[in-house]
Amino acid sequence: MAVGALLRLAGRADAVVYPAIGGGAAARVARLAHAPRLRMARSIREATVLLVAGELRAHDVQPLMRLHDQLPHPRATLCWGVEPGFLPGRAWALDAGADPLPLLHDIQQRLFRGELESEPDTLPDEPPAPWQGKGSHGQGGEGMMGGRPYGRPMPMMGKEHRDGLMLDALKLSLGPFFPLLPPGLALEFELQGDVIQHARVLSPPWPDPGPGAGLRLAARLLELLGLPQLARRAAAGMAGDGPALLRRARRHGALLAIPPRLGGVRERLVCALSGTPASGEDAAPLLGQLPGLEWHEALLLINSYDSPALLRIAGPSVVAGAPAEAA
């Protein structure tokens, strides 16, 4: 009886989805995020269904498979407008023009009722980088540091960019499906504490042309500024909604929350919401601006540039031999 009650409650629950956004899908995923009884998870560990939408590049497949294997059981994948080649015979598929909401709810409920088998891992259960037996104590590196046990680099001491202190430096790769970066963009950072020391592009972002691109840019910034409701309104809005959203953003203190040294971010947010072109400042020096910024400042700066500006600095190719972590 208790199990039946839990299943009934689960049937009324929101579908919890993690979106892996590929090329040409940003607008429709943004509209879907505004749908009732649907929650877009900010972490893959919170989701039940992985929603793969849009075109994929060859170098996106490995990060996508790693992302899939981090979904907790029971789990399923829905490919929306893309062939499920990375998960043959397992993933659900749906045309790009179809509404995925009913199927997302059906998949989640059938998983909870045990009617669907949870998807297995796509990758072998082994560390992505060899480390066992390396080092004098088998710890994976030299001395007490170095190496990549379980694929995670151990921190190494270095001079901190801001104050010149000797602190642990940690390399971190994010993207191309990290929700706090523009879709498709993958970056490698070197961090000491929360301060960026170095950054490089591993994968360029997807172009995001057409109506509403400015509002989607504004939505990413508003989400980072702690205004999720306003961000959802912006992501699902049309060009004419921008002035009203700008007034709301001012009332909620969004512009005041941007650090003073990021005046360009503030200007680009106002332009994105008001539908006016930015001053023409190029993103070419972006990677040079990141060192010395704190983590939240770096995210605001990156997300304040539109995809054409980011593509100018990222270029069409991927850094060889440096696949991004799935996130």
Side-chain angles (χ1 to χ4, degrees), residues 239 242-243 270-277:
V270 171
C271 291
L273 287 172
S274 61
T276 58

Side-chain angles (χ1 to χ4, degrees), residues 168-190:
D168 287 343
L170 179 65
K171 284 189 177 180
L172 173 68
S173 300
L174 294 175
F177 305 112
F178 185 56
L180 299 184
L181 290 177
L185 180 64
L187 296 170
E188 181 184 76
F189 299 97
E190 184 175 302

